[in-house]
Amino acid sequence: MNDPELQLAQRKPEQYGYDARATRDMATVQFIPAKMPSEQWLVLSISPAAHSGSATLVGGAIDGTTGRIIDASSGKPVEPSALPRGVVQEGSWVATMRFGSAAGKRRGSYHWFDDLPTHVRKLSANDLYNPFSRGGEVLCRHNPQLQGSREFDSVSLLPEKWDVHARGVFEALRKDSELFSAPLSPSKQTHLQALVEGDNAILSAMAFRTLIEAGKIDRKALRANLTKAQGYRRAVFAYVALAHPKLLGEAALEEELTRVIEATRRVPDHRGIALALATTTLLHPESPASRSVGRKLLSHIRRHSNQISKAKKDPYLEQIFTVLQIL
Amino acid sequence: MRASLIVACHNEGTALGKTLESCIESAGNLDYEIVVADDASTDGSAENVERRFPQARIHRHNQRRGASPTKAMGARHARGEVLLFLDGHCLPEGNALVRLVEDVERVRGEVVTPQIAALDTNRWRNALNQVGNGYHFDLLTFQCSWQRLDQMRAVFESGWKFYESAALIGCAFAVGRALYDRLWGFDPHMSFYGVEDLDFALKCWLMGHRVLHDPSAVIGHKFQNQFERYAVPAEHVVVNELRAARKNFSSSVWDDWVEQRRMRSLGPLAEHPEGLWARAWSLFEEGRPSAEQERSYLQSRRTRDEFWYAERFGLAWPRLESIQRAGQIRYSLPSPSPGPSPSPAPCNLTGIEASNVQLYIGEPGMFIAKGSNVSGVQWSTTPAGNPATGSGANFKTRWSATGTVTVTATCGSTTKTFSVRIVAIEVQINNTAATNDDLVALKCDFPPQRFNVNCQARLLGPAAVAGNVVLTNPDGRLRFPNPANTTVALTLAANGAFSAFQISGESASAALGDAVIQLHEDSATGFVITQKSVTVFSFDQAKITLNQGGNYAIVNLPTGPSYTVNPGNAVTFSSIARIRPAGINCTAPQVANLNIGIMQESSNFSSQQVWDTPTMNWLPATASGTAVDVALSMSQNTVYAPAVVQPVADTETTVAPLYDQPNKPDTLDPNSLQRPIGCQAGGASANATSFDTPSDPAPPTFSLPIQVAGVTVGNAVWGHLVKVVRKEHFRTFCVLFNTNTQQFCAFRQATWDLNVDSSALNQHAVVNADGAAAATPATGVSANHAPTAVTTTPVGAGTQHFVKP
């Protein structure tokens, strides 16, 4: 296990959304190539157009001379109310990795309109960060026969530099398509625990999730795995644990996370758990982990990081606290 | 025709004309006819009214027949739906006639009597301080008396108060045509005067109907201290009593009554040396075939017997107990002729006839010794009934446990036996034998619905035949299960298989178990076999409380700018309700899935977003030097039809139909469903809570392609969300929600409004206090929930000029 720490370099505010989305996606990633043999799993590098993610009038345009709104296809003036609203998604992609078959397009473009909802109860993963609006590396299932957004399915945003692990996951699943399926025999548990601690971060995340959902991660194992993991991997482990508070119990979960926080000696190592807590709070405001445990632990991280840094604030954590407006 | 006024008369003199005048005035615009039934008057009164009142139809007897045949004649010629009988010397007060007709219609054709005032025919004025209400008579002596209102049982029909009257006085009353016919009307074979009204009332009660009294309808009647205008032979009164008793009394009671009546009628009779009783009996026998014919009709159809009547109206006779005490009352056989009782002859017991081969626990069974001279039969029971033994021609007893019992009749050296099956009925509410689930929820108004509970009943014990029962609910708290189903008939199989029925709650229980289901044998007024207590639970102290949250502002989230409340919420909700009556165990199946929650709907929605700071992203193919002018700001306005009401779970179908639902994906508040308070067990003490912050998911930018001469040259992007306006009206409900069936019932509602504008300060939701629910919360998604107008326009005339480098 050799995880780089979460970095600050060249981050824009929305890239905290990127980190949150990537954490969530890796904690829930569905990479099951055996079940969809006719479709291809790819790693795509997405480059959105500058206006991708903007509100717009579907099928509308502006006459650059008169300033009037016109029908884009006919060029004739049109009542704006006759045109539906939407959010434009437009850009290009390059397949940087292809699994199963070498055939298929290596690059392409996309263009569709998403609906513009009027009521939003809470944030979705796409609200946090939409790679088709803002770019990024994604693992997805690709079906070029379909149109619009349906061309891309099971889209998982990859943390930076995690694309290199995708091949290993594919190979492992090709050898054993039931690798992450119950029941878990003792030897399978041992194998999964080895994957948790291995170098392939995606396999590690999937193995950790399988074990915790099967109730095979006790308090001691949780603490040990969280302590060993760093960077995105620690964030993903913590997010998985927070998403299953009933498996260990809320009190036990809070206690173990507190012990991990208190055992942390370097401020940057707090970033992973803080990111997981922030992501959980944004995406699952109803969960106990958000309502009580999350807020308490984020306060605890703030206090503890102040202690060990002698009041020198960590910019990454501060960005989480302020940009995500959790506290 | 709505009503027929039937005026019976005999030598009424001027009173008849005055009666008709008064009736015409009282009837007003009533749709009715006047039928004058004249019993061979000789004083010219009938001719007089025939002349004066052409609208009246006169029907006459050629010779004097008496009151009962005269009234029967009038009824035969009447064509109205309601028959209103009056004597020819009556004065209605006010609109008494109209009221009586309306009363009869209100009680679906049953008999209604007015308050009777003493009429002074000289002054033609009623003495309103001298009135009679209910009428009462003794079944043994046929003696009549008035009853005060406080001696009568009050009943309510369609919200109107009536009093049950044991009998009626024939001078004034009303009845529906159908019931009159069903009761075979007035007995045309009763002669001269009296008893016909008592007979009619008794038939009415025994046939399962009622005589109801309305003291608000007042009719004056001239009472006579003595018969001024005609003579009433005493033997005819006895004959009329004999006819009434024969028609209405069962055999054993008739035997007893005849003997006692005979003993009171042994005096002499002028012009008839055989005496009063012998003369009366002779006349009775002359007309007996018609009495027997009517008796057969009545006894085969009646739903009550004279024991019921005596008990209902507090009469000392006849009583079951008195019959069961051996030797205290001797029953004479029907006398073949008047005179001293014949000497006892040797007993000849040939068998036992029983009222039923199968009885319910507690149900009296009648056993009749067959043969001749059987008045000395000795009765015994195995196992012992109550009473265990008896004597006489008849024997009535009952048992308190199921099983096969034997009744033995012994007379001299002859013994006969009869086997009877004693059965019981088991009733299960919610199809379980447990009693903690003998519960049903009160019906709901919003939405109108009933929460039916499956129930079942079966025969217990060695049943030989199926049992026909009718379920009633005298307290009116239940239905079976639809609103109109106040009773339900079941046939319970002899093999003990369950028969299903359903109940629903019509009105709330005040205490545990106060809704009682009675199971009657054969009809709704039959013997009460058993009863079952049920509780109709309901909810009170329901509340939906809205609390205003923080101010709106455009804040920068990772997703970009959003016009929202942060931190906090626009509104917080709190909902609670208490289950009643006290003592409900909320772990019972009918309650276990019931929770107090929140629903919400919205309407009158509109919003506006304004973006500025345009930039131009040219297409590579666009020629250098291409120039366009782009508006400095773009506004997008969205308006929904004001009438469109949408359920609001923020489009989250997972929690629908509630606003929020714990243990479902995308739930906001895990405490948004709570058990009701007030439970004896399994309840809650906390409010159900949730919150709402309607926010516009305005993308951070707005863009449109730019065309020049029909060719797209690039995309303009307005990159700064500068203004958001949002208007919306909300209605939030406190609801009862069944997590198993997804049914809900709205108790309370409270409204709140958003009218917020990011260009102004202190913008927040405005909340209102709650009130009773007035409508059913919207559910599903309205088919017409698309906005009626979306208008995207430049804001102002300002433009920015772009030239491709």
Side-chain angles (χ1 to χ4, degrees):
Chain A
M1 198 182 293
N2 184 20
D3 300 308
E5 67 184 34
L6 290 162
Q7 292 294 330
L8 281 169
Q10 299 179 356
R11 287 178 181 276
K12 295 186 291 185
E14 62 265 28
Q15 282 196 283
Y16 290 95
Y18 182 108
D19 285 349
R21 165 85 191 245
T23 298
R24 173 263 184 194
D25 282 2
M26 289 302 102
T28 59
V29 62
Q30 298 294 321
F31 189 17
I32 41 178
K35 292 193 177 174
M36 290 289 176
S38 64
E39 296 170 322
Q40 286 198 314
W41 287 81
L42 307 175
V43 172
L44 300 181
S45 177
I46 297 171
S47 300
H51 60 284
S52 191
S54 295
T56 191
L57 288 176
V58 179
I62 289 181
D63 187 316
T65 308
T66 65
R68 298 184 64 173
I69 292 177
I70 58 174
D71 183 309
S73 57
S74 68
K76 294 179 179 174
V78 65
E79 275 297 316
S81 59
L83 299 172
R85 302 176 305 163
V87 176
V88 60
Q89 305 292 359
E90 187 172 354
S92 59
W93 55 267
V94 174
T96 60
M97 214 171 286
R98 183 181 301 278
F99 306 111
S101 167
K105 290 167 65 177
R106 300 204 62 82
R107 63 181 64 244
S109 61
Y110 61 91
H111 181 221
W112 68 80
F113 298 96
D114 287 334
D115 291 336
L116 186 62
T118 52
H119 294 90
V120 173
R121 163 163 289 222
K122 62 183 187 182
L123 299 175
S124 68
N126 269 341
D127 292 327
L128 278 184
Y129 188 92
N130 188 337
F132 294 100
S133 297
R134 303 191 182 190
E137 305 273 309
V138 300
L139 171 67
C140 70
R141 203 165 64 203
H142 184 230
N143 187 342
Q145 307 303 319
L146 298 177
Q147 301 297 313
S149 62
R150 293 192 302 154
E151 186 178 345
F152 308 96
D153 190 29
S154 302
V155 176
S156 295
L157 183 65
L158 292 164
E160 290 173 41
K161 299 180 181 170
W162 277 38
D163 55 333
V164 297
H165 302 307
R167 176 76 57 193
V169 180
F170 176 76
E171 295 299 335
L173 285 168
R174 192 166 63 175
K175 285 181 193 166
D176 180 4
S177 62
E178 300 299 315
L179 179 58
F180 300 115
S181 303
L184 303 188
S185 64
S187 61
K188 191 170 183 179
Q189 283 181 51
T190 304
H191 179 48
L192 289 174
Q193 182 56 40
L195 291 178
V196 168
E197 297 174 26
D199 289 334
N200 188 311
I202 301 177
L203 275 178
S204 173
M206 295 175 80
F208 184 79
R209 186 180 73 207
T210 305
L211 286 169
I212 206 165
E213 286 178 348
K216 303 301 181 187
I217 297 279
D218 60 13
R219 296 175 61 157
K220 184 179 173 185
L222 173 67
R223 188 166 70 248
N225 286 316
L226 279 171
T227 302
K228 287 179 197 166
Q230 296 299 323
Y232 280 116
R233 192 187 312 215
R234 179 182 266 198
V236 171
F237 284 3
Y239 183 91
V240 170
L242 288 164
H244 299 86
K246 290 181 180 171
L247 292 176
L248 284 176
E250 289 170 30
L253 178 61
E254 180 182 345
E255 197 175 312
E256 293 308 322
L257 287 172
T258 302
R259 291 173 72 170
V260 174
I261 292 166
E262 289 178 348
T264 299
R265 292 290 166 259
R266 293 178 60 250
V267 172
D269 293 342
H270 277 312
R271 295 171 184 170
I273 291 179
L275 177 61
L277 290 166
T279 307
T280 304
T281 302
L282 283 171
L283 291 176
H284 303 286
E286 79 287 359
S287 82
S290 305
R291 291 169 65 84
S292 54
V293 180
R295 288 173 186 272
K296 244 188 283 183
L297 291 178
L298 278 166
S299 297
H300 197 65
I301 288 172
R302 173 176 266 175
R303 280 197 305 276
H304 191 260
S305 62
N306 282 342
Q307 285 171 8
I308 60 178
S309 68
K310 296 177 181 168
K312 184 182 176 185
K313 295 190 175 180
D314 178 74
Y316 191 98
L317 292 177
E318 289 306 309
Q319 286 290 346
I320 286 180
F321 297 147
T322 56
V323 175
L324 303 187
Q325 303 191 30
I326 301 303
L327 299 176
Chain B
M1 181 172 296
R2 194 174 172 195
S4 292
L5 173 63
I6 301 166
V7 181
C9 54
H10 173 71
N11 289 346
E12 303 292 344
T14 57
L16 182 59
K18 290 180 180 177
T19 296
L20 294 190
E21 281 178 1
S22 306
C23 288
I24 291 167
E25 184 179 343
S26 174
N29 295 324
L30 181 68
D31 172 28
Y32 76 114
E33 64 174 356
I34 301 173
V35 177
V36 176
D38 179 66
D39 192 21
S41 292
T42 55
D43 63 352
S45 57
E47 292 82 356
N48 183 37
V49 296
E50 190 167 26
R51 203 167 43 248
R52 286 182 56 199
F53 302 97
Q55 70 271 45
R57 292 188 289 120
I58 317 294
H59 298 275
R60 307 184 65 176
H61 282 149
N62 293 327
Q63 61 182 29
R64 180 87 199 284
R65 299 275 305 277
S68 193
T70 303
K71 292 172 182 173
M73 174 182 67
R76 275 200 310 277
H77 292 287
R79 297 172 298 197
E81 293 296 319
V82 175
L83 305 182
L84 186 50
F85 290 94
L86 283 190
D87 282 357
H89 39 266
C90 288
L91 167 59
E93 286 286 328
N95 65 344
L97 299 188
V98 175
R99 176 152 182 138
L100 280 177
V101 172
E102 290 174 344
D103 281 344
V104 171
E105 292 168 341
R106 195 170 288 126
V107 298
R108 298 167 297 285
E110 303 222 76
V111 175
V112 180
T113 67
Q115 188 179 68
I116 305 295
L119 170 61
D120 179 344
T121 50
N122 294 325
R123 300 167 61 199
W124 201 250
R125 183 178 299 173
N126 292 325
L128 296 177
N129 59 348
Q130 190 181 347
V131 298
N133 286 294
Y135 213 51
H136 189 263
F137 84 112
D138 186 285
L139 288 181
L140 185 61
T141 64
F142 280 59
Q143 291 295 309
C144 302
S145 59
W146 292 102
Q147 277 200 307
R148 300 189 311 272
L149 291 178
D150 62 3
Q151 296 173 304
M152 303 164 72
R153 186 194 307 262
V155 294
F156 289 86
E157 287 286 338
S158 305
W160 295 73
K161 190 176 185 181
F162 295 91
Y163 296 84
E164 289 184 357
S165 181
L168 61 88
I169 181 167
C171 65
F173 76 98
V175 61
R177 172 93 231 182
L179 178 57
Y180 178 86
D181 291 339
R182 175 172 153 70
L183 300 179
W184 278 29
F186 283 111
D187 186 344
H189 301 284
M190 285 185 172
S191 53
F192 289 96
Y193 175 87
V195 184
E196 85 284 354
D197 44 7
L198 306 180
D199 174 55
F200 188 81
L202 185 56
K203 289 194 292 184
C204 180
W205 279 109
L206 299 191
M207 291 285 277
H209 299 277
R210 295 175 297 177
V211 177
L212 300 173
H213 175 67
D214 179 2
S216 299
V218 181
I219 294 179
H221 172 252
K222 182 190 178 188
F223 290 95
Q224 305 175 56
N225 293 328
Q226 58 185 20
F227 294 104
E228 299 166 346
R229 292 169 282 112
Y230 46 80
V232 178
E235 66 272 29
H236 286 276
V237 175
V238 179
V239 170
N240 291 349
E241 288 182 8
L242 280 164
R243 288 188 67 87
R246 182 59 191 163
K247 290 191 297 182
N248 290 296
F249 292 167
S250 49
S251 295
S252 58
V253 177
W254 158 254
D255 291 344
D256 188 29
W257 183 87
V258 166
E259 179 60 19
Q260 299 204 46
R261 187 69 178 97
R262 185 177 73 82
M263 297 303 291
R264 285 187 281 110
S265 310
L266 294 177
L269 185 66
E271 301 178 6
H272 292 283
E274 69 269 36
L276 173 60
W277 174 252
R279 175 62 182 160
W281 185 264
S282 173
L283 291 172
F284 167 67
E285 285 290 350
E286 286 177 15
R288 187 158 180 168
S290 63
E292 293 295 340
Q293 187 183 13
E294 186 173 345
R295 180 178 199 269
S296 174
Y297 168 82
L298 294 171
Q299 300 259 334
S300 65
R301 288 168 176 78
R302 70 183 192 174
T303 59
R304 300 163 175 152
D305 60 20
E306 57 274 33
F307 297 101
W308 176 90
Y309 184 89
E311 189 170 333
R312 179 76 164 189
F313 297 108
L315 305 182
W317 185 96
R319 290 287 176 145
L320 275 175
E321 290 76 14
S322 65
I323 291 173
Q324 288 161 359
R325 282 197 296 274
Q328 288 197 6
I329 293 176
R330 289 185 302 130
Y331 289 89
S332 59
L333 290 170
S335 303
S337 61
S341 298
S343 300
C347 174
N348 177 25
L349 178 63
T350 60
I352 299 174
E353 183 179 293
S355 56
N356 286 302
V357 296
Q358 181 169 297
L359 294 170
Y360 293 101
I361 285 177
E363 179 186 13
M366 175 65 84
F367 302 90
I368 302 164
K370 304 299 291 182
S372 57
N373 303 312
V374 291
S375 58
V377 165
Q378 297 296 312
W379 299 88
S380 61
T381 51
T382 307
N386 180 21
T389 60
S391 65
N394 308 304
F395 177 55
K396 188 171 275 191
T397 188
R398 65 190 82 192
W399 286 265
S400 58
T402 60
T404 301
V405 300
T406 302
V407 176
T408 303
T410 304
C411 188
S413 59
T414 306
T415 296
K416 300 290 180 183
T417 60
F418 193 95
S419 289
V420 181
R421 312 285 184 103
I422 308 300
V423 298
I425 295 180
E426 180 190 14
V427 181
Q428 293 186 350
I429 307 300
N430 198 38
N431 288 353
T432 72
T435 56
N436 73 324
D437 61 350
D438 292 350
L439 302 168
V440 59
L442 179 64
K443 66 180 178 181
C444 177
D445 292 331
F446 301 107
Q449 62 180 324
R450 288 170 178 272
F451 306 99
N452 298 346
V453 172
N454 292 322
C455 306
Q456 55 190 5
R458 64 173 173 176
L459 289 178
L460 297 177
V465 296
N468 294 314
V469 296
V470 174
L471 280 60
T472 67
N473 171 236
D475 53 79
R477 289 189 164 90
L478 301 171
R479 291 292 184 270
F480 298 101
N482 300 315
N485 302 141
T486 54
T487 64
V488 64
L490 298 179
T491 297
L492 307 181
N495 65 5
F498 277 111
S499 291
F501 66 99
Q502 288 185 311
I503 58 172
S504 67
E506 176 70 15
S507 60
S509 283
L512 290 177
D514 64 2
V516 178
I517 299 172
Q518 288 190 339
L519 282 80
H520 299 257
E521 185 177 13
D522 294 331
S523 73
T525 53
F527 171 74
V528 177
I529 303 161
T530 187
Q531 59 185 37
K532 183 75 173 174
S533 293
V534 182
T535 302
V536 181
F537 66 89
S538 59
F539 295 84
D540 68 359
Q541 298 184 1
K543 191 85 181 155
I544 177 77
T545 304
L546 309 182
N547 289 306
Q548 176 198 312
N551 287 335
Y552 270 77
I554 295 179
V555 295
N556 288 312
L557 294 177
T559 56
S562 177
Y563 189 43
T564 187
V565 178
N566 195 318
N569 299 287
V571 178
T572 56
F573 311 135
S574 176
S575 177
I576 197 167
R578 184 178 71 162
I579 196 167
R580 293 281 93 184
I584 296 283
N585 184 333
C586 292
T587 63
Q590 293 96 319
V591 194
N593 295 314
L594 299 184
N595 296 277
I596 305 303
I598 297 161
M599 291 178 74
Q600 183 167 272
E601 63 187 29
S602 82
S603 57
N604 289 298
F605 175 65
S606 67
S607 70
Q608 180 192 20
Q609 296 93 33
V610 179
W611 294 267
D612 65 6
T613 318
T615 57
M616 189 65 198
N617 298 304
W618 299 99
L619 293 180
T622 302
S624 294
T626 301
V628 295
D629 291 303
V630 174
L632 287 174
S633 301
M634 290 295 286
S635 169
Q636 186 160 271
N637 301 293
T638 307
V639 179
Y640 282 68
V644 173
V645 178
Q646 298 184 82
V648 177
D650 296 333
T651 71
E652 298 292 354
T653 55
T654 51
V655 297
L658 295 178
Y659 175 77
D660 211 2
Q661 192 173 160
N663 301 318
K664 292 288 179 73
D666 302 316
T667 290
L668 292 180
D669 188 333
N671 299 317
S672 49
L673 269 183
Q674 293 285 354
R675 302 308 317 278
I677 61 171
C679 296
Q680 183 261 331
S685 57
N687 289 23
T689 56
S690 195
F691 49 86
D692 196 6
T693 306
S695 302
D696 270 288
T701 57
F702 182 83
S703 76
L704 274 175
I706 305 296
Q707 290 189 353
V708 174
V711 177
T712 300
V713 297
N715 287 284
V717 179
W718 289 262
H720 180 218
L721 179 66
V722 66
K723 178 180 178 180
V724 179
V725 176
R726 185 181 180 115
K727 297 178 182 177
E728 198 164 6
H729 175 72
F730 296 88
R731 182 157 60 169
T732 312
F733 297 85
C734 164
V735 298
L736 179 69
F737 183 70
N738 186 321
T739 51
N740 186 36
T741 65
Q742 305 287 298
Q743 287 176 294
F744 64 86
C745 180
F747 294 149
R748 305 281 291 179
Q749 66 179 43
T751 61
W752 59 284
D753 291 274
L754 270 187
N755 187 1
V756 291
D757 184 339
S758 65
S759 58
L761 296 174
N762 298 322
Q763 300 292 289
H764 54 74
V766 176
V767 302
N768 300 302
D770 72 339
T776 301
T779 54
V781 176
S782 168
N784 186 27
H785 75 294
T788 54
V790 178
T791 310
T792 303
T793 53
V795 179
T799 59
Q800 185 160 344
H801 189 68
F802 293 95
V803 179
K804 184 173 183 194

